[in-house]
Amino acid sequence: MKRRNASHDYSLRSLQSILGVSRRVLSGLIDAGFVQPSRGRRNELRFTFRDVVLLRTAFQLQSAKIASRKILRALARLKAELPEELPLTGIRITAVGDSVVVKTGESQWDATSGQLLLDLEVAPVKGEVAFLDAAPRNIVGREKQTEEWFALAEELTDTDVIGAEQAYKKVLELSPIPHYDAYNNLGVLLCEVGMKYDEALSVFDRALEHFPEDALLHFNRAVALEELERYDAAVQAYERCIELNPTHADAHFNIARLSEIRGDKQSLLRHLSAYRRLSR
């Protein structure tokens, strides 16, 4: 993944794009002393990752009508807690009053109580800094946030399972339409990494309410049932998968295994034969 270093490598223009605010607003935040950018070779303003986060936080607190002196105190504490670079797992910033807290790793997903003035995740989405607000206001915002949360979930899968799980759940919460990949990926993640088979089964059941004719969802649901030792139900789910996709070799193989466990020799031979034929 492309990573930015701790040097002053954000221009004013890139900052506008990242933060989604006008040049006038940015200039006002800088003039208020919320950050102290350096100067580049051509005397242009340059900003660090910390500056980006501080400005985003200052803008949101200012929008919440917090007094500048309180914002400055909060930002001083925030700056002391911020890492020089954005971790792969991202960070979460919350603010209650003028108390600002940075959370990393598993703690970033902890529930936060109180009247939040600020609650956002800062994440490396597709190699860039992305600010993921908790509650986008319209459909376009929800669609954009859905894409960003999904990208984050995929990137976190290998480094932060809890973060990936929460990000996929955020996709399902935000997406204006049922999100097939988020349902499937979350269910698989819960099974393969988290060993949360009951929860995975619930995810696949919800997914099948929206995608009842999808063979892969039926197959993955069967795997969850098998892990829960609900073998009869697992066989039924594998059989439904085969009805929808007769060439699904693994479904035949898994039924053969379960047939052996259940002592059903006829089913064992039939599905093992189908598996061998399809695997040639």
Side-chain angles (χ1 to χ4, degrees):
M1 181 186 300
K2 176 184 173 185
R3 299 295 306 282
R4 292 188 181 275
N5 58 37
S7 63
H8 295 70
D9 58 357
Y10 294 92
S11 67
L12 191 61
R13 178 175 294 182
S14 65
L15 209 58
Q16 283 181 252
S17 175
I18 291 170
L19 300 182
V21 298
S22 69
R23 189 184 187 95
R24 181 181 62 80
V25 170
L26 274 179
S27 296
L29 293 171
I30 296 166
D31 291 343
F34 294 138
V35 296
Q36 291 81 42
S38 66
R39 292 283 179 177
R41 294 179 181 177
R42 300 178 181 177
N43 203 38
E44 78 280 11
L45 294 175
R46 307 298 296 180
F47 302 85
T48 65
F49 160 69
R50 283 177 174 169
D51 291 334
V52 175
V53 176
L54 291 171
L55 284 169
R56 178 64 171 78
T57 304
F59 174 69
Q60 196 150 340
L61 292 178
Q62 195 177 64
S63 299
K65 309 299 183 184
I66 303 300
S68 292
R69 58 184 176 79
K70 288 188 175 182
I71 296 176
L72 284 169
R73 283 204 305 267
L75 294 183
R77 289 195 292 271
L78 174 58
K79 187 174 182 179
E81 292 188 53
L82 282 173
E84 289 189 359
E85 294 186 59
L86 179 57
L88 284 173
T89 53
I91 59 176
R92 181 180 180 182
I93 302 170
T94 58
V96 181
D98 61 349
S99 176
V100 181
V101 179
V102 177
K103 297 181 179 181
T104 59
E106 292 188 12
S107 68
Q108 71 182 294
W109 305 109
D110 294 344
T112 303
S113 59
Q115 296 298 311
L116 290 175
L117 295 172
L118 173 69
D119 189 6
L120 61 91
E121 280 80 21
V122 189
V125 176
K126 297 179 181 177
E128 299 294 335
V129 175
F131 292 91
L132 307 176
D133 290 318
R137 299 175 183 177
N138 53 46
I139 292 295
V140 174
R142 288 170 69 90
E143 290 174 345
K144 184 174 185 296
Q145 289 279 285
T146 296
E147 292 175 4
E148 290 177 333
W149 277 106
F150 186 77
L152 175 60
E154 288 189 309
E155 292 188 9
L156 289 180
T157 297
D158 294 330
T159 59
D160 179 9
V161 174
I162 293 176
E165 177 185 336
Q166 295 300 325
Y168 279 128
K169 288 178 178 178
K170 194 70 176 181
V171 171
L172 296 177
E173 175 189 329
L174 287 172
S175 182
I177 60 174
H179 199 294
Y180 172 83
D181 288 329
Y183 274 120
N184 193 52
N185 291 3
L186 174 59
V188 170
L189 183 73
L190 291 169
C191 272
E192 292 186 349
V193 183
M195 293 186 289
K196 301 176 181 178
Y197 304 118
D198 281 312
E199 190 175 349
L201 181 60
S202 177
V203 169
F204 290 130
D205 284 342
R206 294 202 311 273
L208 285 167
E209 292 176 7
H210 303 292
F211 309 99
E213 304 299 306
D214 187 82
L216 181 58
L217 286 175
H218 283 283
F219 179 86
N220 287 336
R221 179 176 180 272
V223 171
L225 287 165
E226 189 175 344
E227 293 292 350
L228 292 168
E229 298 184 358
R230 294 171 56 182
Y231 298 137
D232 290 345
V235 168
Q236 290 177 5
Y238 284 130
E239 287 175 342
R240 180 58 178 148
C241 169
I242 292 170
E243 286 177 13
L244 294 167
N245 180 8
T247 64
H248 202 300
D250 287 340
H252 282 288
F253 180 80
N254 288 358
I255 291 179
R257 284 192 304 97
L258 292 176
S259 296
E260 185 175 21
I261 292 173
R262 299 161 74 210
D264 188 341
K265 187 174 181 180
Q266 184 177 0
S267 176
L268 165 64
L269 294 175
R270 177 162 53 88
H271 286 285
L272 194 57
S273 174
Y275 169 73
R276 288 170 176 165
R277 173 172 48 81
L278 292 169
S279 299
R280 289 174 185 166

